Amino acid sequence: MSVREEFDAWATDGRDRGMERRHWHTAKHALARMPVESDDAVVDLGTGSGYAIRALRERGIDRGYGLDGAPEMARNAREYTDDEAVEFLVGDFGALPFQDDSVDHVFSMEAFYYAADPHTTLSEIRRILKPGGTFYCAVNYFAESKHTHEWQDPISLEMTLWDRRQYREAFREAGLLVAEQDTIPDREIEIPPAEEFPIDDWETREAMVDRYRTWGTLLTVGVAPA
Ligand code: SAH
C-alpha cells in the first residue's frame, strides 16, 4: 500500500484530528522550543491536520508549508485554516519540493519514520535548510519506547524503528549537527489506577506509564552548519 492509500483513508475517517488531539500533548513542547523568528519560512513534514504550522503562525512566522503525501490530509488541513500565509502541499519525503538553502526551519511530528529511505529524507532536509536552520524531529515510535513497537503490525508501510543513537548518527551522516536530543513525557494523558487494567490497548498500568510518562516523544534537533 502507498502513503496515499494508507493515509487518505485515515484522513477520511477523521483520524487527522484525532492525532492532532493526542500528539499536541508533547508536540506543543517541541514547537515551543523552536527558535523561530518573524521573517522565517517553516516546513512541516507529514503535516496531517496542519496544527503545527497553525501554531507556528500564531507565534508569528512569515510563511508555513505543510507537506503531506496523502492528498486528503492536505485537503483537510487546508479546510482547517483560511490563513493565506500557509500552504499545504502534496509531496513525498524522498524529494522535497523546495529549493536548496531556502527554508529556515523544518518540523515533523510522528511522520519521519514513514520515509521509504530516512537517510535520503535527512539529506533532502539538509539540502533545503539555510545555514543555521534547524530540523525538529519528534517521534513517539522509537526503539527505547518498547510498547510502541506493535504499531507496525496494522500498517502496510515499513516503519523505521531507530533508537536514540541511530537518530543522532543518521543526522550527522546527512551533514546535520545534533544540537539536542531529549524525550518529552506526555503528562496529560490520563492513566487510570492499576485495578482498572486491562483497558483499551493496555494490558497493564506499567506499560501505559512506560509509553507515556517514561518515554513519550523523542525529539532530535539537527542544525545545518553555517
Ligand atoms: N504530524 C501529524 C500527522 C502524523 S501522521 C500529527 O502529528 O498528527 C503521519 C503523516 O505523514 C500522515 O499524514 C502521512 O500522510 C504523512 N506521510 C507519511 N509518509 C509520508 C511520505 N513518505 N511523504 C509525505 N508524507 C508522508
Side-chain angles (χ1 to χ4, degrees), residues 17-26 186 189 212:
R17 276 276 150 104
M19 289 192 290
E20 170 177 341
R21 270 194 302 280
R22 290 193 311 279
H23 295 168
W24 181 248
H25 296 178
T26 54
D186 181 338
I189 188 101
Y212 289 106

Side-chain angles (χ1 to χ4, degrees), residues 3 7 19 23 46 51 68-70 73 91-93 109-111 114:
V3 167
F7 291 102
M19 289 192 290
H23 295 168
Y51 68 86
D68 207 285
M73 286 283 186
D92 191 81
F93 295 167
M109 173 69 182
E110 275 293 88
Y114 293 114

